[in-house]
Amino acid sequence: MGLIVQKFGGTSVADLDRIRNVAKRVARTFDQGNDVVVILSAMAGVTDNLIRMANQVTESPDKRELDVLLATGEQTTAALLAMTLRAMNYAAESILGHQAKVVTDCAFGNARILDIGADPIRALVQDRKIVVMAGFQGCDINGNITTLGRGGSDTSAVAIAAAIKADICEIYTDVDGIYTTDPNICPRARKMARISYDEMLEMASLGAKVLQIRSVEFAKKYNVPVHVRSSFSDEEGTMVVNEEASMEKLLVSGVTCDKNQARITLKKVPDQPGVAAKVFSPVSEAGIIIDMIIQNMRSGGQTDLTFTVPETDFKQAMAIAEQVATDIGAEEVLGDQNIAKVSVIGVGMKNHSGVAAKMFATLASENINIRLISTSEIRISCVVTEKYAELAVRVLHSAFGLDKP
Ligand code: ADP
Ligand code: ASP
Ligand code: MG
């Protein structure tokens, strides 16, 4: 008997039949004598649809109101699952982010959880209720509804699991575990039985959306065991855990692809001290995270400055770059949204050379042009044209010996 958090993603609650399936699984876990807290996403496609509608109403929807709108997706599924369970004679109760005291900062659309008051959920659990909580949402100290960024229900689940000291946090999704690369891109991807928090952090930060990065940060900080598994089968999935001595230190253990990337280039920027600060300060003040930066020397005291931002921030970043370009006297600003970042990851890379060379040679063998490169101790990333990204993933996965037999 234990205290189990079960999170179900959008495809797992995509329609009423699937919600019934979720209810059955939750009921089974409860009948085995466990206390169960369920965290739900919105039905598949609903969040995208709400965003689309907001963009039809106005070109730049107010961020506070957008969060009020987006939070309805998770409110719907929480109520429907609680009703379904009650109709099956289980004492279930839905709870929204603010009722569960999920306190966040004020960054609408991408809020961070600051604190979770565990008492409301604990009180329900003590009454032997099945708690059904709306994921993805919280509330700031002024009582405004906030959302946690795309994929944020993963973070709701792990944060709740940490707050109520659950024995395990199960993430039910549409794949049966964490693979060496996205199995929907590469059919030869291999399922991993276990992965360390650190490796999963790296994979999540480089585009493996199976877990939102902040959920892995929470899991690592509070030592929450996370089990990623399929909501359509009973097969064991992948455990995300602390690094164990027995874990294999592969040279390359995973390949990721992030299509949510865009490139901005300021051409013919005066090559003077302070110029980079003038370009990047307003971008970071707008809360936009810059990933790669490259500066190319030109003759005549000028440089070209290129950087990448999440594609979702492209419009805003372009507007800022155009303003700065005028202020500092740069010639023009070019933007490109059709790029993707492909990365190879592995802790074993720390003490080996040759991975970068092999990655470049592999991409060259398929005639894939590398636009930008960045490296860290345990990963190498190349920006390529978006339409070649999936091919790049497959050839790299194969070249580094990760293909399943
Ligand atoms: P959910 O709606 O359940 O939260 P997501 O779509 O957010 O599901 O995440 C699951 C998806 O993550 C999978 O369908 C798969 O395409 C993608 N994915 C990317 N990289 C990986 C990986 N390394 N292992 C498993 N899935 C991955
Ligand atoms: N519904 C939100 C999204 O689509 C949150 C989530 O599913 O985790 O991003
Ligand atoms: Mg997700």
Side-chain angles (χ1 to χ4, degrees), residues 46-322:
V46 164
T47 308
D48 287 337
N49 214 12
L50 292 170
I51 294 173
R52 217 172 292 129
M53 279 201 283
N55 286 326
Q56 280 166 11
V57 172
T58 160
E59 209 176 275
S60 49
D62 180 81
K63 290 191 168 182
R64 178 186 182 279
E65 301 311 326
L66 187 59
D67 274 3
V68 174
L69 179 69
L70 295 191
T72 62
E74 274 68 13
Q75 179 162 345
T76 307
T77 45
L80 287 171
L81 180 66
M83 277 176 206
T84 309
L85 283 162
R86 289 178 89 102
M88 291 161 61
N89 285 325
Y90 287 88
E93 197 164 311
S94 66
I95 186 167
L96 302 180
H98 69 92
Q99 295 171 315
K101 306 272 181 276
V102 179
V103 182
T104 71
D105 64 15
C106 307
F108 294 118
N110 200 18
R112 276 181 184 272
I113 295 177
L114 302 175
D115 186 43
I116 292 184
D119 291 348
I121 290 186
R122 278 221 194 95
L124 290 167
V125 168
Q126 260 154 25
D127 274 356
R128 270 300 270 167
K129 295 251 169 69
I130 297 177
V131 185
V132 183
M133 189 179 113
F136 183 50
Q137 50 172 267
C139 127
D140 70 9
I141 47 165
N142 302 314
N144 296 304
I145 289 177
T146 53
T147 65
L148 308 180
R150 299 309 305 267
S153 300
D154 297 330
T155 303
S156 308
V158 179
I160 291 284
I164 62 173
K165 302 195 169 54
D167 296 300
I168 190 157
C169 179
E170 297 180 336
I171 304 280
Y172 288 90
T173 183
D174 59 358
V175 284
D176 55 12
I178 299 166
Y179 283 70
T180 45
T181 192
D182 187 339
N184 289 321
I185 292 180
C186 177
R188 312 209 103 185
R190 250 190 288 182
K191 188 167 109 184
M192 294 183 256
R194 301 166 94 71
I195 182 171
S196 71
Y197 293 127
D198 285 329
E199 263 176 319
M200 191 59 229
L201 271 177
E202 201 73 23
M203 286 189 71
S205 74
L206 293 167
K209 68 168 183 164
V210 59
L211 286 177
Q212 196 200 37
I213 181 162
R214 287 180 188 161
S215 71
V216 192
E217 286 166 1
F218 262 101
K220 181 179 173 186
K221 186 163 171 198
Y222 297 102
N223 239 318
V224 182
V226 175
H227 186 182
V228 177
R229 56 191 308 186
S230 166
S231 61
F232 306 111
S233 82
D234 286 330
E235 213 180 299
E236 288 285 303
T238 302
M239 288 299 303
V240 191
V241 291
N242 263 317
E243 191 167 327
E244 296 156 359
S246 61
M247 275 181 178
E248 246 185 306
K249 298 224 177 359
L250 293 173
L251 196 55
V252 168
S253 53
V255 180
T256 59
C257 171
D258 184 356
K259 294 181 182 170
N260 178 27
Q261 293 276 316
R263 177 182 63 85
I264 295 178
T265 300
L266 281 84
K267 289 192 80 174
K268 296 196 181 170
V269 176
D271 190 15
Q272 292 159 3
V275 163
K278 280 193 189 131
V279 174
F280 295 120
S281 301
V283 180
S284 86
E285 274 157 26
I288 299 172
I289 295 165
I290 290 174
D291 183 17
M292 300 184 184
I293 300 176
I294 288 188
Q295 187 170 315
N296 297 104
M297 296 305 287
R298 281 176 171 265
S299 55
Q302 290 174 321
T303 66
D304 289 345
L305 202 55
T306 296
F307 57 96
T308 61
V309 294
E311 196 173 8
T312 31
D313 295 326
F314 177 70
K315 245 173 46 187
Q316 198 185 359
M318 271 302 272
I320 295 171
E322 271 157 7

